[in-house]
Amino acid sequence: MTRWYCFLFLFCVIGQRAFSAEAAVLPLAAFADADGIQQSEARIADSTESGAIDSPGQVVAVYFTPADRQPATNHVARIRRIVEETAGFYERELRRHGFRERAMAVLRNDRDEVEVIDVVGAGQGGDYGKSDGGRIRDEVVPVLRERGIAPNESVILLFCNLMDYDPVGGTISHHSPYYGGGSHLSGTAWQCDSEILDPLRFRDLTPIRDGEYGDITIGRHNSIFIGGVIHELGHALSLPHCRQRRDESVRGTALMGAGNRTYAQELRGEGRGTFLTQAHALRLAAHPVFNRRMTGDVKKRPATRWPKLRIVAGEKSQIRVHGMVQADVPVHGVVAYFDPRGGGDYDATTATAVPDDRGRFAMQSGNLRVGDGELRLTVCHVNGATSVRSFFYRVERSGQPDLSAIRVELELAAMVDSIRRSKLEEAEVDLATAASGDESLMKIGRQVLDRFRDVEKPTSVSVDDLDSGVSSIGLSKLIPISESVGWLSPTYDSVPEPSRLLSIGGQYYAEGIYAHAPSSHVYRIDRQWKRLSGKFGMQNGHSGKVDFQIVGDGQMIWSSRGVGAGQGGTFDLDVSDVSTLSLMVTDGGNGGGGDWGVWVEPLLSRTPRDDSDR
């Protein structure tokens, strides 16, 4: 069990009694039934009864070719077939889930053919690589605007002619951007193209050597890369990753899991193929791209409330969620992503529910993986938008869910607010009130509250002013030689946002260093200290990805890369021979957005740290 989860082996003692009589009448399942989907469909339809507008959503197909290349053979006809295949998949799957009359809006010409907009790049083929998606989009945007297309109000399906196909040698590889992202209002999906990319060739068993996938057939190549078109378009339509639940696996592989690699494989007898989860059907059911008419507040960012929300341990390795959701834009669905730590969000499984007319809902996970995880509750609004609230949990080796961090968020919110306002006496009262008669909750709250007691005032001292008898000092109290952060200003023992409190994985801390990437905090320690120990991670509420590094006298002595939301860990290093110590946080590959890294309880000590009471 990692030390950053400091509620050691505290089981969440909340049984069936936590379910109110109100919640007990609601179906408790991992998915919404047919009646629920019908209710969801009706709410979306009701939203357009008055004040509706023509939907602004559309997919725009763009073909990008470097200046020194010709478009791949027959590119317009092939791209049209690929787009029609993509639209057909989404429309069939939405219909299968009960959402009828959904057609993917695609920019078309006067003959009702998919319009393929050709763009010639400013650079040559060798000038573009997999990380150049932004550069290519910047070259595409002016062409779209000349055509009267608003790039920031469209979903751009951007095919890049950056595949290298050798028909004689039977080889293919690419150096193209191959990813996607967006909201319900706009997005971009970068794809790669070659003359063999064509839905007509799904059954083609001609052998080919792919630079990434090795010896495969042209048919499988098309499954992977046309499946990739549909998958990356999913990201451009705002869908995150998730995998299929056990009860869904009979249909094959979830599109937003590894389904980009299994698409149409059933045509060759190689597997069950790819499907869209109910979770993502709920999200897309109200997306402007799939609706001809939309509610007039399509651009409104909803405000959401969660009265009476309860998250409790269910049967072994399961978590139950129930309560009420209220919003100023009507809600037609709730999706829960149970995302185990590691593997990005590809391993997240889902549960879905449609709230009743009072906003009440109930659902439960399947069996969850042992270890740390993040629960993301996502509200689907009828204007296509979503709103998210995140929590962190742990599943012990016994299978028992440890929901200590969630109990702090939900049941001790008043105590946390008092701590935030530096009102520790009020926090004591809040804890006593909330935990009256609940020893487990009292112990959880006490461990949080004790971190904020007897904490040194946030005044910094110089290393030269420290007495040699000082056995340890928090690094956040020591004046650095230099300091810099990538957003706002350097802050110690807090973060520069209204929440103020340092928080990782749903836990709160009194001491630490705000370190939004790119950040650097450099200290002179003159070989006077034995150990540097502490925790690190992403500040709660932010979804970036960063790399943490500790450098001694210019040499890397520790690092942790690709740390995302809810992730983190501990470090304990020998710094006996270090004169100048640097703590650095850099972008971890997501472009820098939301990279709120934090160092928590970093401690310099003359002797090894004793964490037995933490």
Side-chain angles (χ1 to χ4, degrees):
M1 183 176 185
T2 54
R3 284 189 295 163
W4 77 303
Y5 252 91
C6 290
F7 303 120
L8 293 176
F9 298 101
L10 283 175
F11 290 160
C12 182
V13 186
I14 318 175
Q16 293 284 353
R17 62 185 176 83
F19 276 84
S20 66
E22 236 179 41
V25 304
L26 299 175
L28 186 63
F31 55 90
D33 62 15
D35 289 341
I37 294 299
Q38 187 175 6
Q39 191 172 25
S40 177
E41 173 83 314
R43 284 187 192 146
I44 297 170
D46 289 347
S47 71
T48 61
E49 284 189 354
S50 63
I53 61 173
D54 290 337
S55 177
Q58 70 172 348
V59 174
V60 178
V62 177
Y63 195 85
F64 176 86
T65 301
D68 63 335
R69 292 192 177 195
Q70 292 296 314
T73 303
N74 201 24
H75 76 288
V76 173
R78 288 187 300 97
I79 297 303
R80 284 175 176 164
R81 287 194 288 270
I82 293 169
V83 174
E84 298 288 13
E85 178 75 23
T86 299
F89 170 83
Y90 280 111
E91 292 163 11
R92 289 190 304 274
E93 287 295 282
L94 284 167
R95 187 165 56 251
R96 178 177 67 81
H97 282 291
F99 296 106
R100 302 176 301 277
E101 299 180 4
R102 295 302 195 284
M104 193 172 88
V106 179
L107 181 66
R108 295 177 180 273
N109 60 24
D110 294 338
R111 296 182 297 277
D112 199 35
E113 299 168 321
V114 174
E115 183 78 358
V116 179
I117 299 174
D118 283 291
V119 177
V120 177
Q124 299 187 353
D127 297 334
Y128 301 100
K130 296 181 179 180
S131 63
D132 288 323
R135 175 186 174 189
I136 291 173
R137 189 181 187 279
D138 288 344
E139 294 185 25
V140 165
V141 162
V143 177
L144 297 183
R145 286 180 174 152
E146 288 176 5
R147 297 280 300 267
I149 299 168
N152 293 329
E153 296 180 1
S154 303
V155 177
I156 305 172
L157 189 53
L158 178 49
F159 292 87
C160 301
N161 184 17
L162 293 171
M163 264 189 162
D164 300 309
Y165 172 56
D166 178 4
V168 176
T171 61
I172 192 165
S173 62
H174 78 87
H175 55 286
S176 171
Y178 192 42
Y179 33 77
S183 69
H184 75 293
L185 297 174
S186 64
T188 303
W190 289 265
Q191 318 293 340
C192 45
D193 181 61
S194 76
E195 64 185 75
I196 66 172
L197 195 66
D198 193 332
L200 298 179
R201 304 187 73 173
F202 280 136
R203 291 184 170 90
D204 191 334
L205 300 182
T206 303
I208 191 171
R209 183 164 185 80
D210 185 277
E212 182 176 357
Y213 296 98
D215 293 327
I216 57 176
T217 63
I218 287 179
R220 187 175 174 214
H221 171 88
N222 275 282
S223 281
I224 293 169
F225 286 94
I226 293 177
V229 171
I230 302 172
H231 176 103
E232 301 305 338
L233 179 61
H235 287 315
L237 294 168
S238 81
L239 300 182
H241 291 125
C242 76
R243 63 172 299 159
Q244 61 277 2
R245 299 189 308 265
R246 183 174 298 177
D247 61 290
E248 297 173 312
S249 60
V250 65
R251 294 194 173 275
T253 309
L255 172 69
M256 301 310 294
N260 54 316
R261 300 185 183 185
T262 60
Y263 187 79
Q265 64 177 193
E266 70 276 10
L267 299 179
R268 299 183 303 278
E270 295 175 359
R272 294 174 176 172
T274 298
F275 73 99
L276 188 70
T277 61
Q278 185 187 78
H280 288 158
L282 272 172
R283 294 179 66 136
L284 293 182
H287 196 289
V289 161
F290 294 99
N291 290 272
R292 296 175 183 172
R293 299 282 287 172
M294 290 293 299
T295 174
D297 58 2
V298 63
K299 294 185 178 181
K300 184 174 183 177
R301 184 176 181 179
T304 306
R305 294 178 57 248
W306 298 88
K308 302 181 181 179
L309 179 61
R310 293 291 181 268
I311 302 171
V312 303
E315 297 179 3
K316 186 175 181 180
S317 302
Q318 295 183 352
I319 293 175
R320 296 175 174 179
V321 184
H322 73 96
M324 184 180 293
V325 60
Q326 298 173 344
D328 55 357
V329 176
V331 175
H332 71 274
V334 179
V335 177
Y337 294 90
F338 299 89
D339 187 4
R341 183 177 176 184
D345 55 353
Y346 283 94
D347 292 336
T349 54
T350 60
T352 49
V354 176
D356 67 13
D357 291 338
R358 295 170 57 186
R360 301 177 306 165
F361 70 94
M363 55 186 169
Q364 69 178 2
S365 72
N367 293 334
L368 300 175
R369 182 187 302 174
V370 169
D372 301 335
E374 180 181 10
L375 164 59
R376 293 184 293 276
L377 286 180
T378 302
V379 180
C380 304
H381 301 272
V382 297
N383 68 345
T386 56
S387 49
V388 182
R389 186 171 182 183
S390 295
F391 302 91
F392 297 93
Y393 64 86
R394 179 176 178 79
V395 178
E396 304 290 359
R397 292 190 179 277
S398 65
Q400 177 69 31
D402 177 356
L403 306 183
S404 302
I406 293 177
R407 298 196 73 185
V408 172
E409 291 286 319
L410 294 182
E411 300 176 65
L412 298 178
M415 181 196 77
V416 172
D417 184 62
S418 294
I419 294 173
R420 184 177 293 117
R421 293 183 289 108
S422 300
K423 303 290 186 180
L424 295 188
E425 291 185 2
E426 291 183 16
E428 286 279 6
V429 175
D430 295 330
L431 174 58
T433 301
S436 177
D438 190 333
E439 294 183 5
S440 174
L441 186 60
M442 176 63 76
K443 187 173 183 180
I444 291 169
R446 176 59 57 196
Q447 288 190 334
V448 173
L449 188 53
D450 285 351
R451 289 193 185 125
F452 292 84
R453 293 203 171 281
D454 303 321
V455 174
E456 297 179 27
K457 294 182 179 180
T459 53
S460 297
V461 297
S462 168
V463 67
D464 296 323
D465 295 332
L466 288 175
D467 188 280
S468 59
V470 173
S471 61
S472 64
I473 184 171
L475 207 58
S476 62
K477 305 298 189 294
L478 198 61
I479 297 175
I481 298 173
S482 64
E483 58 183 3
S484 64
V485 293
W487 178 250
L488 300 176
S489 302
T491 308
Y492 299 88
D493 296 340
S494 66
V495 290
E497 60 180 351
S499 65
R500 288 191 60 243
L501 301 181
L502 291 155
S503 181
I504 307 175
Q507 301 180 53
Y508 297 92
Y509 301 91
E511 299 179 77
I513 301 171
Y514 164 66
H516 189 294
S519 70
S520 174
H521 295 81
V522 182
Y523 298 88
R524 179 166 61 86
I525 61 173
D526 296 337
R527 301 185 180 182
Q528 298 299 308
W529 303 89
K530 174 68 175 175
R531 311 293 301 182
L532 171 68
S533 59
K535 306 176 181 70
F536 64 95
M538 186 73 65
Q539 174 72 13
N540 276 359
H542 299 278
S543 56
K545 182 178 290 186
V546 297
D547 297 335
F548 288 85
Q549 303 171 8
I550 297 178
V551 176
D553 298 326
Q555 300 295 317
M556 180 87 68
I557 58 177
W558 174 90
S559 69
S560 183
R561 302 187 180 278
V563 178
Q567 299 176 354
T570 63
F571 54 90
D572 190 350
L573 310 172
D574 186 341
V575 293
S576 304
D577 296 325
V578 174
S579 295
T580 302
L581 180 71
S582 301
L583 274 63
M584 306 178 71
V585 180
T586 59
D587 173 57
N590 69 319
D595 287 349
W596 285 61
V598 289
W599 302 96
V600 168
E601 298 179 344
L603 185 74
L604 282 171
S605 57
R606 312 284 187 186
T607 58
R609 181 173 184 163
D610 180 7
D611 272 346
S612 61
D613 62 342
R614 301 192 72 84

